[in-house]
């Protein structure tokens, strides 16, 4: 990591773009609110997981060691209801969705976290019980009707993250649900009295089960300690989940909980909120089964700034397929160098391009500018290949190495599940465009250009055939 070129990132707590400085110089401790495992995650969830993965990869690219913890919420109102309806134990029911999460996240190239605590693992239940005891001792929690509630009047900073208004509500209005609106900010449940048949754990303050908010505080404090660097989630988690995490953690420890809060905006589908009733609710698996490549899906999810809503459209997916295909076509022609160690370009143009790439991402993760550098490098490499003289050989290799380096952050090129070069309507259009361009080149007697076009297409599995009636194309087997 370079002190001279620090990352500047918006901190939801201050509402400002700030210099990101981890507490320890070379290490970033990062907590990601993971999936509530009552259903298979949808592509909206994965917009947030890919956004967080991009941030983690960029920190690693800059040289930080990142320690990432991502939980699974395997006990809350929704998981209990789901398991009950399915007639399964909570453990069996939630384990299925955890496995599906890993399958989808792996398909999308999301780097694995270092720890995946499950809220119901005995060590974390024990940590939650300790946290509640501490809050009771400090007068920041109280018991009522067999449950334990957090007293928001005991935490004057309540509302700092989300702007939740608490005036007039400090006199013990209570809420038992895991999810509720800002308008109903109230004392929230830490430990719930359970009903018959619900999973229950013993505790000195009465048998029951944890509330959702308590779980993340306990797991994060247990694995990362107070004052860790980065806490991430989708914007919907700011209130009440993250607001409550801060309140109960800080009230219990007396120390700042998190240095930097990172929130990803939502994904919409064709401009509308994703919902089962609108029929626009997709999982990663469903899209892959339809023939969408996971690389194109990842590209689409990663290519929109994390603070902008991402409008997921079929058209966007097609453009993503084309973009990934173009870069893969080049990389297929330029084998990876076998040199080990970090890539240090000799060419000043390549160095400048990588510098601009880093600057773009240092600027609150400006992915559009960063991707523009990938495509700049692509053009340089393709031009070098088309010139085909020996002098350009080294240049092409360096531009390709630069693309591979930038791809450490984006993780979309040369991945398994790359677009099939022989599918897609836009590909037909694109090939026809190349055929026209090649015909024009031949008319100009620019045979080098014409040959380069033929070769580029061949590298993508497309063969051109010249016939007396013009040029046709076919897929190579
Ligand atoms: P959940 O399983 O509901 O706790 O959500 C897991 C993660 O996905 C959280 O960080 C949510 O904020 C995030 N998330 C949920 N819906 C969307 C969406 N439509 N777009 C982006 N992120 C979402
Ligand atoms: Zn959480």
């Amino acid at each position: 990591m370079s002190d001279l070129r620090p990352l500047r990132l918006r901190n939801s707590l201050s509402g400002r773009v700030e210099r990101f400085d981890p507490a320890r110089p070379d290490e970033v401790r990062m907590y990601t609110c993971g999936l509530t495992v009552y259903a298979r995650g949808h592509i909206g969830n994965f917009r947030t997981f890919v956004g967080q993965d991009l941030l983690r990869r960029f920190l690693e690219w800059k040289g930080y060691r990142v320690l990432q913890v991502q939980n699974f919420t395997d006990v809350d109102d929704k998981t209990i209801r789901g398991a009950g309806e399915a007639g399964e134990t909570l453990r069996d029911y939630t384990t299925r969705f955890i496995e599906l999460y890993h399958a989808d996240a792996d398909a999308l190239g999301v780097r694995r976290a270092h720890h995946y605590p499950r809220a119901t693992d005995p060590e974390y239940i024990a940590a939650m019980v300790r946290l509640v005891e501490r809050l009771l001792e400090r007068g920041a929690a109280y018991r009522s009707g067999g449950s334990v509630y957090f007293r928001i009047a005991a935490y004057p900073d309540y509302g700092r993250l989300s702007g939740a208004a608490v005036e007039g509500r400090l006199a013990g209005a209570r809420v038992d649900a895991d999810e509720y609106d800002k308008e109903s900010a109230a004392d929230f449940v830490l430990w719930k009295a359970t009903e018959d048949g619900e999973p229950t754990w013993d505790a000195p303050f009465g048998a029951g089960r944890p509330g959702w908010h308590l779980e993340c505080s306990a797991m994060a404090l247990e694995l990362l300690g107070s004052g860790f660097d980065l806490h991430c989630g989708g914007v919907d988690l700011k209130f009440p989940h993250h607001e409550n995490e801060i309140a109960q953690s800080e009230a219990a420890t007396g120390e700042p909980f998190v240095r930097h809060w990172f929130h990803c905006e939502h994904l919409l589908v064709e401009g509308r909120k994703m919902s089962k009733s609108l029929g626009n609710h997709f999982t990663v698996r469903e899209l892959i089964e339809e023939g969408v490549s996971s690389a194109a899906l990842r590209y689409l999810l990663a290519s929109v700034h994390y603070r902008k809503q991402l409008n997921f459209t079929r058209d966007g997916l097609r453009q993503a397929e084309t973009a990934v295909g173009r870069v893969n076509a080049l990389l297929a022609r330029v084998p990876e160098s076998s040199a080990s160690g970090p890539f240090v370009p000799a060419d000043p143009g390549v160095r400048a391009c990588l510098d601009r790439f880093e600057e773009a991402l240092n600027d609150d993760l400006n992915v559009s500018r960063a991707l523009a550098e990938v495509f700049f490098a692509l053009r340089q490499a393709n031009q070098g290949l088309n010139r085909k003289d020996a002098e350009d050989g080294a240049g092409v290799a360096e531009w390709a190495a630069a693309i591979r380096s930038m791809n450490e952050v984006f993780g979309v090129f040369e991945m398994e599940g790359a677009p099939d070069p022989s599918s897609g309507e836009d590909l037909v259009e694109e090939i026809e465009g190349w055929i026209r361009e090649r015909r024009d080149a031949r008319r100009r007697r620019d045979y080098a250009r014409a040959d380069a076009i033929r070769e580029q297409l061949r590298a993508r599995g497309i063969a051109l055939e010249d016939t007396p009636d013009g040029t046709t194309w076919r897929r190579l087997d």
Side-chain angles (χ1 to χ4, degrees), residues 33-36 42 44-45 48-49 233-234 236-237 265-267 274:
C33 280
L35 201 62
T36 305
H42 52 68
N45 300 129
T48 291
F49 294 128
D236 55 312
L237 297 191
E265 254 301 344
H266 269 183
L267 174 141
M274 200 171 29

Side-chain angles (χ1 to χ4, degrees), residues 31-34 71 73 212-213 216-217 231 237 241-242 245:
Y31 186 87
T32 303
C33 280
N71 76 296
T73 301
W212 172 34
H213 316 300
C216 280
S217 284
H231 195 314
L237 297 191
H241 187 50
H242 289 162
E245 276 190 50

Side-chain angles (χ1 to χ4, degrees), residues 290-293 318 321-322 418-428 430-431 460 462 473 475:
E290 262 184 40
V292 171
S293 75
R318 277 192 291 273
E321 295 274 4
T322 308
D420 175 352
S422 58
S423 69
E425 285 162 28
D426 51 343
L427 186 85
V428 173
E430 193 198 334
I431 295 171
R460 292 170 64 181
I462 308 291
W473 62 275
R475 291 166 184 156

Side-chain angles (χ1 to χ4, degrees), residues 459-477:
R460 292 170 64 181
I462 308 291
L464 298 186
E465 272 158 7
D466 295 313
T467 71
D469 298 329
T471 303
T472 60
W473 62 275
R474 67 181 172 83
R475 291 166 184 156
L476 290 167
D477 292 323

Side-chain angles (χ1 to χ4, degrees), residues 367-387:
V367 283
S368 317
R369 265 168 54 207
L371 280 172
E373 295 304 333
V374 173
F375 288 95
F376 175 79
L378 176 71
R379 280 196 303 281
Q380 304 309 306
N382 277 333
Q383 281 169 15
L385 278 177
N386 293 346
R387 279 198 296 272

